Structure formats: structure tokens, C-alpha cells
Amino acid sequence: MPRVARLGGVAALRLLLAAHVVAAFEPITVGLAIGAASALTGYLSYKDLYCRFAECCRDKQPLNASALRLDLEEKLFGQHLATEVILKALIGFKNNKKPKKPLTLSLHGWAGTGKNFVSQIVAKNLHPKGLKSSFVHLFVSTLHFPHVQHIKLYQDQLQRWIRGNVSACASSVFIFDEMDKLHPGVIDAIKPFLDYYEQIDGVSYQKAIFIFLSNAGGDLITKTALDFWRAGRKREDIQLKDLEPVLSVGVFNNKHKRVH
């Protein structure tokens, strides 16, 4: 019995001490602390807390233009045009709360000139996981669409894939590599999503981004750079207007070869 009494006394002493500790705070201070804790718990228990542990679609998050610029300037060499065009296009697109159509970027050049690398930089600045993101989708023509006899199947599958993923995340990114080897029928399946449609079958594609990588025109780009060098001009002097006519011819010729 004495032992039980002693235990009871200790418990009473602890309660008494606890009461004195609480009493040491002013009622308004305690109230504010509890209120702040409740608000924080409620705020973090929803989307923000979920997004700390799982990837979330960042369709409403603004683009960190400074980080993108730094990435392009520090990691890209000899690609001043790509840096300028991509920065201007992405910043303008992401700052537009209601774009009228998806953003399309078309990168041309020989294999090894950095097209894939640039697309990875862009993807990572839009979705932190980059190519590993659930919202970034990479298609390689010779890998994903290899058989001409299955073009109709590819068209249906690709359209369903784009529709489903944009429905899940409006700012989804789609990267198509080896466009110069892609069958025109597959390209036709992509075209409806790139136009000025507010919705297609109840889905808006206006915040999506499509990046096309192609070797078409690579030889003509090299020739332009060589012509500038022979004229004693720097590579950095080349402007987009110097390449646009050349690329148009190169892409047209490549389409002609594919069809035939």
C-alpha cells in the first residue's frame, strides 16, 4: 500500500508541475500557438503535404526563368540560337495564363549537336524529375513506331496516350526524337493537338508542350556556319533569320524522301 501511495504522489506531482508550466504562459499566447499549429497541420495535410512525398503536376507553378537561363548558358556550348529561342518561347508561354495553343519547339541538327540534351534541360526546368517525371513523355521514332503496317494502331495509341496524359496534367511535355524518320501518318495523329482548339473532346491541350527533334536540315545548318566562317564572321553572328529559309528547304526535302 505505501508503494501505491508513493506512485500516486509522484503522478500528482507531475500533474501539478504540468499545471504550473501551462500557467506560466499567457492565455493569448497559448491560444495563438495552438491556432497556428492547427492551421499549419490543416494546410500541410492536403496537396502541399502530398506533393512533398509524391510528384505533382506543376501546371500553375511559374517558370524559374533565371534557373533555366543559367542551365542553358552553363551547359550549352556553341548553341546561342537555341538558348535565345528557347528562353524567349518558354518564358512567354509560361507567363501566358491562357495560351491559345500548345507550345511547339522544333530542334534541328546532326546527331550529337545537343538536341536531346537541350530537351532534357527544358523538361527538368518544367518538371524537376525531368525524363523520369510522370508528366514528361519521350518517343523515339525507330523504337516506338518501327513498323509501317501498324501505322493505324500507332495513331490510335498515340492519340489516346496524349489525351490521357494531358487530362491528368495540363502542362505535360511530349518529346518526339528522330522526327525525320517518323512516318507521315503518325505525324498526322499529332497535328490536331497542336492547333488553335480550345478543347478537343472536352480536353484542353493549350498548356501542353511538344518538342520535336530532327536531323533534317543538319547539313544545311553546317553549310551556313561554314559560309559565315569563310566570310570571316563569328558563329555567334548567325541569326535565326539566316537559318529559317534553309531549314524550310531541308525539312521539305526530308518529307519528300519519306513519302517516296
Side-chain angles (χ1 to χ4, degrees), residues 5 11 31 72 138 162:
L72 291 171
L138 172 65
I162 293 174

Side-chain angles (χ1 to χ4, degrees), residues 165-214:
N165 281 285
V166 173
S167 297
C169 179
S171 60
S172 291
V173 178
F174 301 91
I175 303 171
F176 292 85
D177 193 11
E178 299 182 342
M179 281 294 292
D180 49 301
K181 298 173 184 174
L182 189 60
H183 191 279
V186 179
I187 297 175
D188 289 340
I190 305 170
K191 284 181 180 177
F193 303 113
L194 308 181
D195 220 327
Y196 291 92
Y197 296 117
E198 188 171 338
Q199 287 189 350
I200 300 176
D201 294 333
V203 179
S204 172
Y205 299 88
Q206 294 169 323
K207 291 186 178 181
I209 296 176
F210 293 81
I211 304 175
F212 302 109
L213 313 179
S214 175

Side-chain angles (χ1 to χ4, degrees), residues 83-133:
T83 299
E84 292 171 11
V85 172
I86 289 168
L87 273 172
K88 184 178 179 181
L90 273 176
I91 292 171
F93 182 74
K94 293 299 285 184
N95 285 342
N96 186 352
K97 293 182 179 179
K98 292 184 178 180
K100 293 184 178 180
K101 62 179 292 187
L103 175 64
T104 57
L105 295 172
S106 185
L107 307 180
H108 297 259
W110 286 122
T113 53
K115 301 185 301 295
N116 280 286
F117 187 53
V118 171
S119 67
Q120 290 173 32
I121 292 175
V122 170
K124 195 157 189 177
N125 276 271
L126 293 168
H127 299 286
K129 288 189 175 183
L131 292 183
K132 295 181 180 179
S133 170

Side-chain angles (χ1 to χ4, degrees), residues 1-158:
M1 281 301 266
R3 185 168 179 274
V4 173
R6 283 199 299 272
L7 287 173
V10 171
L13 179 61
R14 286 177 179 167
L15 286 172
L16 186 61
L17 287 171
H20 280 294
V21 169
V22 173
F25 291 96
E26 293 182 11
I28 189 169
T29 305
V30 175
L32 283 172
I34 293 171
S38 299
L40 184 62
T41 303
Y43 183 70
L44 291 178
S45 62
Y46 294 98
K47 188 174 182 180
D48 283 349
L49 181 59
Y50 175 79
C51 294
R52 287 173 183 263
F53 301 99
E55 186 182 24
C56 291
C57 178
R58 299 157 62 90
D59 58 333
K60 294 182 180 179
Q61 184 165 330
L63 174 71
N64 187 334
S66 299
L68 175 60
R69 182 184 299 275
L70 191 64
D71 267 356
L72 291 171
E73 290 178 349
E74 288 189 349
K75 297 174 182 178
L76 275 186
F77 300 97
Q79 299 290 351
H80 66 287
L81 278 180
T83 299
E84 292 171 11
V85 172
I86 289 168
L87 273 172
K88 184 178 179 181
L90 273 176
I91 292 171
F93 182 74
K94 293 299 285 184
N95 285 342
N96 186 352
K97 293 182 179 179
K98 292 184 178 180
K100 293 184 178 180
K101 62 179 292 187
L103 175 64
T104 57
L105 295 172
S106 185
L107 307 180
H108 297 259
W110 286 122
T113 53
K115 301 185 301 295
N116 280 286
F117 187 53
V118 171
S119 67
Q120 290 173 32
I121 292 175
V122 170
K124 195 157 189 177
N125 276 271
L126 293 168
H127 299 286
K129 288 189 175 183
L131 292 183
K132 295 181 180 179
S133 170
S134 300
F135 311 120
V136 176
H137 313 278
L138 172 65
F139 299 93
V140 181
S141 298
T142 52
L143 177 64
H144 294 100
F145 316 107
H147 306 296
V148 177
Q149 63 268 31
H150 298 317
I151 293 301
K152 185 64 174 72
L153 176 63
Y154 296 152
Q155 289 175 326
D156 294 341
Q157 289 179 337
L158 182 57

